[in-house]
Amino acid sequence: TAEFSRADGIYVGTPVRLAGVPVGSVIKSELNEGHRATLTFRLTQMLALPEDTAAIVETDGIFGSKHIELQPGGAEETLKPGARMAYSQDSVIIEDLIAHIVSEAKATRAEKAAP
């Protein structure tokens, strides 16, 4: 399992990948007591993942579908079945990203227009 502040676009059945290769899927998605998304994964093969492996919500291209990408860390100890991943990276919301770019462009434009 892994916890996320935002897991937009992730549903039961969403692929889980390692190095871009499908290795499992999301089998459960729920809101925990801390108002965070808890996702449960099932891997289709036995993988010795370091205990500091991160679960990252990624998008295929700019407007593609989302998936969970596992990024192994460097720890010697491995995750045990049923373990919770300590590291996760939330979904990037494209609308928020575009709004930020527009805001930065307006600020730059205003700076250049000022005498």
Side-chain angles (χ1 to χ4, degrees):
T1 63
E3 285 188 10
F4 299 85
S5 294
R6 295 199 69 135
D8 302 67
I10 302 296
Y11 307 98
V12 170
T14 295
V16 175
R17 299 178 186 170
L18 177 65
V21 175
V23 294
S25 63
V26 175
I27 61 166
K28 188 175 182 182
S29 174
E30 61 188 348
L31 193 61
N32 67 23
E33 295 166 359
H35 305 291
R36 292 174 51 90
T38 299
L39 303 178
T40 302
F41 317 127
R42 177 170 289 136
L43 303 182
T44 55
Q45 50 192 287
M46 290 297 296
L47 299 171
L49 296 171
E51 66 181 1
D52 58 346
T53 295
I56 303 166
V57 177
E58 289 193 351
T59 305
D60 287 327
I62 296 176
F63 299 110
S65 61
K66 296 193 178 187
H67 65 277
I68 301 294
E69 183 71 30
L70 300 179
Q71 186 173 47
E76 291 185 25
E77 295 295 318
T78 59
L79 287 168
K80 306 295 183 238
R84 178 163 298 209
M85 294 182 177
Y87 304 100
S88 63
Q89 183 176 320
D90 297 338
S91 176
V92 173
I93 308 304
I94 193 72
E95 292 86 359
D96 294 346
L97 183 59
I98 291 171
H100 178 71
I101 291 168
V102 168
S103 174
E104 290 292 318
K106 285 181 180 179
T108 300
R109 188 175 187 190
E111 287 176 10
K112 289 181 179 180

